């Protein structure tokens, strides 16, 4: 038997047949010896679901059952095959001795046995089982009813490196309809990613229905036009753009995520990135500095100077927003609420007599501490309601709110400072894992933004920076890839930027890989041959290894490429 570690199982043969490369690589994998009979999934196959595994069984029937056209009936006592022997079965069970997200998958000719430390671990085990069935197991209907489905004999023992394995999706710069969001939850699940960071408001649009403040979506969800390309571009798309999710849409998205063991982190950005909210409710802005009643939802990119006024009215308004957000995102699936706190220009506060009086009244030193006052207020407010605040690393400025966690986006430095101070951190440095950054330095990349971040670059990303103390390293909750959509007008463009790099990121987040320089990228790249076929079956418009296809290019649309290797900061 051949044992393969998490540097990446190769693609050996079993009985003369190639067996598929798994992505992300499992922690431990042993293929059966050549000639050992595979497990054959067929009409007689049943699912034996132990107590606590019923939801996973339901998902297995909905995915593998749909792709194969097989009934995958419930096993009942005495279930037998036509010849009187025990029916081939997929056995699902739980074992509290395993870590919560760990699983063990064992395949022989008679059964597939998947055991999880919890329903979540069991669910990740079924994703591996699905990969072993082949790429057609990722389709929504059978291509050839009656075909055989063989699973090679194998034992997989696996668990993730990090508990937070996430992706942020920005639906503000360009709105994605609900069905596209649900599709992305399926794609996260297929890659064993378990956090969906849902960026729901920004200068360019407000995307969540708030019943007590209806103008947030009546006015704030729509802009008259959009910049086409980078903000320095002279081109405009004159089509009005917008959309939002009703509260029932949000409930559906959260429930859909929960069935796939994905936590949803809603983001309501304050006190900056607020122009859409101010356009809807001008009293939220600094009315003593600018005519906020003349503001519209912003139609360009970058950082708007229009930020929230530090008033009691603003606090009460956003408390009302968050009361509805908490009802829509229950604590079981959304223990964290993201409050943003990033890119908040202080110019209006410096010019505002009201803001300066507020600084004096509160005994604050400066505008940075005024921003911290905003964050501290909502940290306390959320904690009183059993939630945890998380924000971008700017919330470190002016003093970090006690109990707050940090999304370290400007580099590693904010995360290092927060972790050393005893705060939990999610590492998502722009220079390494912002997937809006271009994938190649060639001239055909559509609307090229930022540094070149190839598939290999992402594969060699390391979330825990060297030199971090052992105690601080324990505060690294995990890692996240961020997808900002200024130059992604639709689902196809999002797919192009996200894939295949999200597959490399998923392996970084899940697998216990060696140091970056020692990682077997060639082995990963070979396994991607199988994985591209899975992405094809899932209908993903990924960037092909040879470069963009003609219809994926955007010639003549200005981007903002940055040359050279990104700094490690």
């Amino acid at each position: 038997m051949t044992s393969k570690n998490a540097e990446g199982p190769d693609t050996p043969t079993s009985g003369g047949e190639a067996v598929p490369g798994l992505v992300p690589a499992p922690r431990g994998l042993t293929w059966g010896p050549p000639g050992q009979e595979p497990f054959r999934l067929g009409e007689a196959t049943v699912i034996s679901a132990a107590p606590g595994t019923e939801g996973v069984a339901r998902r297995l029937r909905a995915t593998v059952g749909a792709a194969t056209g097989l009934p995958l009936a419930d096993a009942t006592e005495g279930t037998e095959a036509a010849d009187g022997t025990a029916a081939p079965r997929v056995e699902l069970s739980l074992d509290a001795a395993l870590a919560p997200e760990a699983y063990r998958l064992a395949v022989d000719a008679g059964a597939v046995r998947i055991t999880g430390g919890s329903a979540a671990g069991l669910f990740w085990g079924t994703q591996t089982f699905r990969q072993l069935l082949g790429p057609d197991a990722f389709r929504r209907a059978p291509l050839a009813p009656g075909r055989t489905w063989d699973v090679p004999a194998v034992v997989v023992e696996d668990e993730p490196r990090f508990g937070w394995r996430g992706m942020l999706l920005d639906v503000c710069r360009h709105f994605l309809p609900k069905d596209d969001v649900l599709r992305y939850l399926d794609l996260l699940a297929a890659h064993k990613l378990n956090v969906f960071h849902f960026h729901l408001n920004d200068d360019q649009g407000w995307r969540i229905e708030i019943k007590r403040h209806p103008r947030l979506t009546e006015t704030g969800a729509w802009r008259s036009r959009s910049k086409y390309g980078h903000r320095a571009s002279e081109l405009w798309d004159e089509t009005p753009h917008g959309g939002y999710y009703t509260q029932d849409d949000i409930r559906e998205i959260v429930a859909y995520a929960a069935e796939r063991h994905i936590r949803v982190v809603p983001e309501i950005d304050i006190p900056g990135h607020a122009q859409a909210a101010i356009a809807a409710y001008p009293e939220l802005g600094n009315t003593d500095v600018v005519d906020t009643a003349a503001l519209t939802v912003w139609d360009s990119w970058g950082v708007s100077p229009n930020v929230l006024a530090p008033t009691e009215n603003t606090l009460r308004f956003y408390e009302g927003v968050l009361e509805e957000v908490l009802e829509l995102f229950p604590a079981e699936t959304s223990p964290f609420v993201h409050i943003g706190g990033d890119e908040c220009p202080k110019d209006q506060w410096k010019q505002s007599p009201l803001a300066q009086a507020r600084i004096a009244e509160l005994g604050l030193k400066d505008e940075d501490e005024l921003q911290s006052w905003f964050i501290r207020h909502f940290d306390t407010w959320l904690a009183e309601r059993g939630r945890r605040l998380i924000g971008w690393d700017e919330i470190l400025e002016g003093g970090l709110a006690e109990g707050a966690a940090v999304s370290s986006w400007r580099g590693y430095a904010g995360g290092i400072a927060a972790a050393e101070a005893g705060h939990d951190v999610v590492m998502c440095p722009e220079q390494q894992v912002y997937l809006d950054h271009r994938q190649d330095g060639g001239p055909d990349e559509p609307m090229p933004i930022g540094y070149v971040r190839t598939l290999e670059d992402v594969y060699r990303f390391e979330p825990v920076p060297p030199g971090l103390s052992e105690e601080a390293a324990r505060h690294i909750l995990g890692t996240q890839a961020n997808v900002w959509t200024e130059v992604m007008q639709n689902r196809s463009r999002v797919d192009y930027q996200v894939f295949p790099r999200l597959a490399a990121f998923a392996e970084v987040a899940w697998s216990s890989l060696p140091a970056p320089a020692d990682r077997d990228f060639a082995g990963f790249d070979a396994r991607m041959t199988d994985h591209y076929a899975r992405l094809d079956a899932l209908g993903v418009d990924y960037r092909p290894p040879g470069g963009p296809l003609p219809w994926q290019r955007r010639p003549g649309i200005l981007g903002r490429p940055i040359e050279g290797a990104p700094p490690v900061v």
Side-chain angles (χ1 to χ4, degrees):
M1 301 180 79
T2 306
S3 178
K4 296 294 175 184
N5 64 23
E7 291 186 46
D10 59 13
T11 307
T13 60
S14 177
E17 296 292 328
V19 291
L22 302 178
V23 176
R27 183 162 296 204
L29 181 151
T30 305
W31 298 112
Q36 184 166 334
E37 288 295 316
F39 174 82
R40 178 153 292 177
L41 196 72
E43 289 286 341
T45 302
V46 295
I47 294 180
S48 173
T53 71
E54 297 87 354
V56 178
R58 186 168 59 248
R59 291 300 319 142
L60 194 58
R61 286 192 184 92
T63 52
V64 172
T68 61
L70 299 173
L72 301 180
D74 280 322
T76 57
E77 189 173 350
T79 300
E80 295 179 341
D83 61 0
T85 60
R89 64 187 55 216
V90 178
E91 297 181 0
L92 306 178
S93 61
L94 302 178
D95 182 353
L98 295 174
E101 287 194 283
Y103 68 90
R104 185 176 191 272
L105 184 154
V107 182
D108 59 34
V112 174
R113 298 175 180 87
I114 311 174
T115 305
S118 68
L122 182 67
F123 179 73
W124 305 131
T126 65
Q127 297 305 308
T128 299
F129 170 58
R130 198 175 171 198
Q131 289 196 12
L132 289 169
L133 280 167
D136 288 346
F138 289 84
R139 296 188 179 273
R140 297 184 183 181
L143 301 187
R147 66 171 280 186
T148 59
W149 296 84
D150 286 349
V151 184
V154 68
V155 175
V156 178
E157 296 185 87
D158 199 10
E159 66 179 279
R161 179 184 179 192
F162 293 110
W164 185 302
R165 308 180 302 280
M167 189 191 88
L168 173 145
L169 184 61
D170 165 23
V171 294
C172 299
R173 277 47 178 263
H174 282 100
F175 179 69
L176 283 176
K178 179 195 68 178
D179 283 354
D180 289 344
V181 174
L182 299 178
R183 172 179 176 268
Y184 257 86
L185 291 171
D186 282 330
L187 292 173
L188 296 187
H191 291 82
K192 298 188 175 74
L193 297 173
N194 69 342
V195 175
F196 177 60
H197 181 159
F198 205 6
H199 184 74
L200 288 166
N201 75 294
D202 217 299
D203 299 307
Q204 296 85 1
W206 185 283
R207 303 293 179 226
I208 178 173
E209 178 189 24
I210 302 297
K211 291 188 181 294
R212 74 188 69 185
H213 301 306
R215 293 206 304 274
L216 285 172
T217 46
E218 291 170 357
T219 298
W222 307 93
R223 60 178 184 261
S224 61
R225 63 176 186 171
S226 304
K227 179 67 73 172
Y228 194 48
H230 183 258
R231 61 180 176 270
S233 168
E234 296 181 357
L235 300 176
W236 294 88
D237 181 344
E238 298 291 345
T239 306
H241 181 85
Y244 66 92
Y245 309 103
T246 68
Q247 294 203 349
D248 282 346
D249 290 338
I250 294 291
R251 292 185 181 98
E252 181 182 357
I253 288 166
V254 170
Y256 197 88
E259 285 184 343
R260 289 149 183 80
H261 301 277
I262 295 171
R263 287 175 285 153
V264 183
V265 179
E267 181 177 355
I268 302 296
D269 209 340
I270 61 170
H273 288 292
Q275 184 162 326
I278 296 168
Y281 291 91
E283 64 273 19
L284 294 174
N286 295 284
T287 56
D288 57 347
V289 176
V290 295
D291 179 10
T292 56
L295 292 177
T296 59
V297 177
W298 210 22
D299 57 11
S300 191
W301 316 130
V303 180
S304 168
N306 295 295
V307 302
L308 297 175
T311 64
E312 291 299 315
N313 175 67
T314 299
L315 296 182
R316 300 294 87 75
F317 184 96
Y318 276 86
E319 286 171 0
V321 168
L322 288 169
E323 282 177 4
E324 295 192 28
V325 167
L326 296 191
E327 189 273 324
L328 295 169
F329 295 88
E332 310 86 74
T333 51
S334 301
F336 285 90
V337 175
H338 209 290
I339 298 296
D342 63 314
E343 296 180 323
C344 179
K346 311 298 192 299
D347 295 342
Q348 290 185 0
W349 289 347
K350 290 176 181 178
Q351 299 167 26
S352 165
L354 185 151
Q356 292 302 309
R358 192 65 152 165
I359 289 172
E361 173 194 345
L362 296 168
L364 304 177
K365 184 173 64 176
D366 55 19
E367 293 77 18
D368 282 345
E369 288 198 356
L370 185 61
Q371 177 172 343
S372 179
W373 168 79
F374 262 106
I375 303 302
R376 286 175 183 273
H377 175 85
F378 285 103
D379 178 60
T380 300
W381 190 91
L382 287 167
E384 289 171 349
R385 289 155 180 81
R387 306 299 180 95
R388 290 191 64 189
L389 179 145
I390 185 168
W392 302 110
D393 54 56
E394 284 95 331
I395 68 173
L396 291 162
E397 298 167 3
L400 185 60
E402 185 178 353
V406 169
S407 301
S408 190
W409 78 273
R410 290 182 294 181
Y412 289 105
I416 292 171
E420 293 288 2
H423 292 272
D424 289 339
V425 174
V426 176
M427 283 294 187
C428 50
E430 174 185 14
Q431 302 84 356
Q432 278 75 39
V433 287
Y434 268 33
L435 299 184
D436 45 313
H437 283 219
R438 59 196 171 129
Q439 302 185 64
D440 188 86
D444 290 332
E445 292 305 305
M447 302 186 197
I449 299 295
Y451 296 101
V452 172
R453 294 284 83 198
T454 66
L455 184 68
E456 181 171 0
D457 290 331
V458 174
Y459 191 68
R460 297 193 189 280
F461 164 62
E462 173 49 49
V464 180
L468 202 61
S469 71
E470 185 176 336
E471 173 63 26
R474 284 197 283 269
H475 286 287
I476 305 298
L477 298 177
T479 184
Q480 181 171 289
N482 293 342
V483 182
W484 302 103
T485 60
E486 286 92 338
V487 297
M488 303 179 212
Q489 295 83 3
N490 52 44
R491 186 181 89 177
S492 179
R493 277 287 291 124
V494 174
D495 278 4
Y496 180 90
Q497 291 299 132
V498 170
F499 289 99
R501 293 183 295 180
L502 193 70
F505 174 80
E507 186 147 312
V508 168
W510 178 277
S511 306
S512 295
L513 298 174
D518 298 328
R519 291 178 188 172
D520 181 13
F521 176 73
F524 170 78
D525 201 34
R527 285 182 284 121
M528 281 300 296
T529 300
D530 289 313
H531 203 64
Y532 285 121
R534 296 177 193 126
L535 296 179
D536 287 332
L538 287 163
V540 177
D541 292 326
Y542 58 86
R543 181 189 189 276
L549 299 168
W551 54 87
Q552 293 174 320
R553 300 168 189 162
R554 297 290 186 277
I557 310 301
L558 186 68
R560 183 176 173 264
I562 305 174
E563 302 304 330
V568 177
V569 293

